[in-house]
Short mmCIF file of all heavy atoms in Angstrom, two decimals:
data_model
loop_
_atom_site.label_atom_id
_atom_site.label_comp_id
_atom_site.label_asym_id
_atom_site.label_seq_id
_atom_site.Cartn_x
_atom_site.Cartn_y
_atom_site.Cartn_z
N LYS A 170 -48.49 75.77 183.23
CA LYS A 170 -47.32 75.15 183.86
C LYS A 170 -46.06 75.61 183.14
O LYS A 170 -45.98 75.64 181.91
CB LYS A 170 -47.44 73.64 183.78
CG LYS A 170 -46.41 72.88 184.62
CD LYS A 170 -46.92 72.66 186.05
CE LYS A 170 -46.03 71.70 186.76
NZ LYS A 170 -46.49 71.52 188.16
N ILE A 171 -45.00 75.91 183.94
CA ILE A 171 -43.67 76.20 183.40
C ILE A 171 -42.82 74.92 183.52
O ILE A 171 -42.79 74.30 184.59
CB ILE A 171 -42.99 77.32 184.20
CG1 ILE A 171 -43.86 78.55 184.25
CG2 ILE A 171 -41.64 77.65 183.59
CD1 ILE A 171 -43.35 79.62 185.21
N SER A 172 -42.17 74.51 182.47
CA SER A 172 -41.32 73.34 182.54
C SER A 172 -40.07 73.65 183.39
O SER A 172 -39.62 74.79 183.46
CB SER A 172 -40.89 72.89 181.16
OG SER A 172 -39.99 73.82 180.58
N MET A 173 -39.54 72.65 184.04
CA MET A 173 -38.38 72.86 184.94
C MET A 173 -37.18 73.38 184.18
O MET A 173 -36.47 74.27 184.65
CB MET A 173 -38.03 71.52 185.60
CG MET A 173 -39.05 71.08 186.65
SD MET A 173 -39.21 72.30 188.02
CE MET A 173 -37.56 72.21 188.70
N ARG A 174 -36.91 72.89 182.99
CA ARG A 174 -35.74 73.32 182.23
C ARG A 174 -35.82 74.77 181.76
O ARG A 174 -34.82 75.39 181.49
CB ARG A 174 -35.47 72.40 181.05
CG ARG A 174 -36.56 72.40 179.97
CD ARG A 174 -36.13 71.67 178.74
NE ARG A 174 -34.98 72.32 178.10
CZ ARG A 174 -34.46 71.98 176.95
NH1 ARG A 174 -34.97 70.92 176.31
NH2 ARG A 174 -33.47 72.63 176.43
N ARG A 175 -37.04 75.32 181.70
CA ARG A 175 -37.24 76.69 181.25
C ARG A 175 -37.49 77.65 182.37
O ARG A 175 -37.58 78.85 182.15
CB ARG A 175 -38.41 76.77 180.26
CG ARG A 175 -38.17 76.00 178.96
CD ARG A 175 -39.44 76.04 178.10
NE ARG A 175 -39.24 75.29 176.88
CZ ARG A 175 -38.82 75.81 175.71
NH1 ARG A 175 -38.55 77.09 175.64
NH2 ARG A 175 -38.67 75.04 174.66
N ARG A 176 -37.59 77.16 183.59
CA ARG A 176 -38.08 77.98 184.69
C ARG A 176 -37.19 79.24 184.92
O ARG A 176 -37.69 80.31 185.08
CB ARG A 176 -38.12 77.11 185.98
CG ARG A 176 -38.62 77.89 187.20
CD ARG A 176 -38.84 76.98 188.38
NE ARG A 176 -39.18 77.73 189.57
CZ ARG A 176 -39.43 77.20 190.74
NH1 ARG A 176 -39.40 75.89 190.86
NH2 ARG A 176 -39.74 77.95 191.78
N LYS A 177 -35.87 79.04 184.94
CA LYS A 177 -34.98 80.17 185.18
C LYS A 177 -35.15 81.26 184.15
O LYS A 177 -35.29 82.44 184.48
CB LYS A 177 -33.52 79.73 185.23
CG LYS A 177 -32.54 80.82 185.52
CD LYS A 177 -31.14 80.30 185.54
CE LYS A 177 -30.13 81.48 185.81
NZ LYS A 177 -28.72 80.99 185.85
N LYS A 178 -35.13 80.85 182.88
CA LYS A 178 -35.28 81.83 181.78
C LYS A 178 -36.65 82.52 181.85
O LYS A 178 -36.76 83.71 181.61
CB LYS A 178 -35.09 81.15 180.43
CG LYS A 178 -35.21 82.10 179.26
CD LYS A 178 -35.02 81.41 177.95
CE LYS A 178 -35.19 82.37 176.79
NZ LYS A 178 -35.02 81.72 175.49
N VAL A 179 -37.71 81.74 182.11
CA VAL A 179 -39.05 82.30 182.17
C VAL A 179 -39.15 83.34 183.28
O VAL A 179 -39.69 84.43 183.05
CB VAL A 179 -40.09 81.16 182.39
CG1 VAL A 179 -41.44 81.80 182.71
CG2 VAL A 179 -40.19 80.31 181.13
N TRP A 180 -38.60 83.01 184.48
CA TRP A 180 -38.62 83.99 185.54
C TRP A 180 -37.87 85.24 185.21
O TRP A 180 -38.32 86.34 185.55
CB TRP A 180 -38.05 83.33 186.83
CG TRP A 180 -39.12 82.62 187.63
CD1 TRP A 180 -39.73 81.47 187.31
CD2 TRP A 180 -39.70 83.08 188.89
NE1 TRP A 180 -40.67 81.13 188.31
CE2 TRP A 180 -40.64 82.09 189.26
CE3 TRP A 180 -39.43 84.14 189.69
CZ2 TRP A 180 -41.37 82.21 190.44
CZ3 TRP A 180 -40.17 84.26 190.88
CH2 TRP A 180 -41.13 83.30 191.22
N GLU A 181 -36.74 85.11 184.52
CA GLU A 181 -35.96 86.30 184.15
C GLU A 181 -36.77 87.18 183.16
O GLU A 181 -36.78 88.37 183.32
CB GLU A 181 -34.65 85.88 183.46
CG GLU A 181 -33.67 85.25 184.44
CD GLU A 181 -32.43 84.69 183.74
OE1 GLU A 181 -32.43 84.66 182.51
OE2 GLU A 181 -31.46 84.33 184.47
N GLU A 182 -37.43 86.54 182.20
CA GLU A 182 -38.20 87.32 181.25
C GLU A 182 -39.43 87.94 181.88
O GLU A 182 -39.78 89.08 181.55
CB GLU A 182 -38.64 86.40 180.06
CG GLU A 182 -37.52 85.97 179.15
CD GLU A 182 -36.85 87.16 178.46
OE1 GLU A 182 -37.60 87.99 177.89
OE2 GLU A 182 -35.65 87.35 178.57
N LEU A 183 -40.09 87.24 182.76
CA LEU A 183 -41.25 87.79 183.46
C LEU A 183 -40.82 88.94 184.36
O LEU A 183 -41.59 89.93 184.48
CB LEU A 183 -41.96 86.73 184.26
CG LEU A 183 -42.59 85.60 183.48
CD1 LEU A 183 -43.19 84.54 184.39
CD2 LEU A 183 -43.72 86.14 182.54
N ASP A 184 -39.69 88.85 184.96
CA ASP A 184 -39.18 89.95 185.78
C ASP A 184 -38.87 91.17 184.93
O ASP A 184 -39.18 92.30 185.26
CB ASP A 184 -37.90 89.51 186.50
CG ASP A 184 -37.40 90.55 187.49
OD1 ASP A 184 -38.18 90.86 188.43
OD2 ASP A 184 -36.28 91.05 187.35
N ARG A 185 -38.30 90.91 183.72
CA ARG A 185 -38.02 92.02 182.81
C ARG A 185 -39.31 92.70 182.34
O ARG A 185 -39.35 93.93 182.20
CB ARG A 185 -37.28 91.49 181.61
CG ARG A 185 -37.01 92.51 180.48
CD ARG A 185 -36.46 91.88 179.24
NE ARG A 185 -37.33 90.93 178.63
CZ ARG A 185 -38.34 91.27 177.83
NH1 ARG A 185 -38.59 92.55 177.56
NH2 ARG A 185 -39.11 90.36 177.28
N PHE A 186 -40.35 91.91 182.22
CA PHE A 186 -41.63 92.43 181.74
C PHE A 186 -42.46 93.03 182.89
O PHE A 186 -43.50 93.63 182.65
CB PHE A 186 -42.45 91.30 181.07
CG PHE A 186 -43.37 91.79 179.98
CD1 PHE A 186 -42.88 92.06 178.73
CD2 PHE A 186 -44.73 91.95 180.21
CE1 PHE A 186 -43.71 92.52 177.73
CE2 PHE A 186 -45.58 92.41 179.24
CZ PHE A 186 -45.06 92.68 177.97
N GLY A 187 -42.00 92.89 184.13
CA GLY A 187 -42.69 93.50 185.23
C GLY A 187 -43.86 92.70 185.79
O GLY A 187 -44.75 93.26 186.46
N VAL A 188 -43.86 91.39 185.56
CA VAL A 188 -44.92 90.55 186.07
C VAL A 188 -44.72 90.35 187.57
O VAL A 188 -43.63 90.01 188.00
CB VAL A 188 -44.97 89.20 185.36
CG1 VAL A 188 -45.98 88.26 185.99
CG2 VAL A 188 -45.28 89.39 183.89
N ARG A 189 -45.77 90.53 188.38
CA ARG A 189 -45.58 90.41 189.82
C ARG A 189 -45.53 88.94 190.23
O ARG A 189 -46.06 88.04 189.57
CB ARG A 189 -46.71 91.17 190.55
CG ARG A 189 -48.10 90.54 190.46
CD ARG A 189 -49.11 91.50 191.09
NE ARG A 189 -50.44 90.91 191.12
CZ ARG A 189 -50.94 90.20 192.14
NH1 ARG A 189 -50.19 89.98 193.18
NH2 ARG A 189 -52.15 89.75 192.09
N LYS A 190 -44.91 88.71 191.37
CA LYS A 190 -44.76 87.37 191.91
C LYS A 190 -45.56 87.21 193.18
O LYS A 190 -45.75 88.17 193.90
CB LYS A 190 -43.26 87.07 192.21
CG LYS A 190 -42.35 87.28 190.99
CD LYS A 190 -40.92 87.19 191.35
CE LYS A 190 -40.05 87.42 190.14
NZ LYS A 190 -40.20 88.78 189.56
N GLY A 191 -46.04 86.01 193.42
CA GLY A 191 -46.87 85.79 194.61
C GLY A 191 -47.39 84.39 194.65
O GLY A 191 -46.98 83.54 193.87
N ASP A 192 -48.30 84.10 195.60
CA ASP A 192 -48.88 82.77 195.72
C ASP A 192 -50.21 82.68 195.00
O ASP A 192 -51.06 83.58 195.11
CB ASP A 192 -49.11 82.45 197.21
CG ASP A 192 -47.80 82.39 197.98
OD1 ASP A 192 -46.82 81.90 197.42
OD2 ASP A 192 -47.79 82.78 199.14
N LEU A 193 -50.37 81.61 194.23
CA LEU A 193 -51.67 81.40 193.59
C LEU A 193 -52.67 80.88 194.60
O LEU A 193 -52.30 80.28 195.60
CB LEU A 193 -51.47 80.37 192.45
CG LEU A 193 -50.50 80.71 191.36
CD1 LEU A 193 -50.52 79.59 190.28
CD2 LEU A 193 -50.80 82.05 190.74
#
Side-chain angles (χ1 to χ4, degrees):
K170 191 88 168 179
I171 306 170
S172 68
M173 289 299 296
R174 64 170 296 186
R175 294 176 182 267
R176 183 173 173 179
K177 181 179 178 181
K178 181 180 178 180
V179 169
W180 270 72
E181 290 174 351
E182 289 299 307
L183 293 176
D184 186 61
R185 176 186 63 81
F186 210 79
V188 174
R189 70 187 184 92
K190 304 172 181 63
D192 295 325
L193 301 183

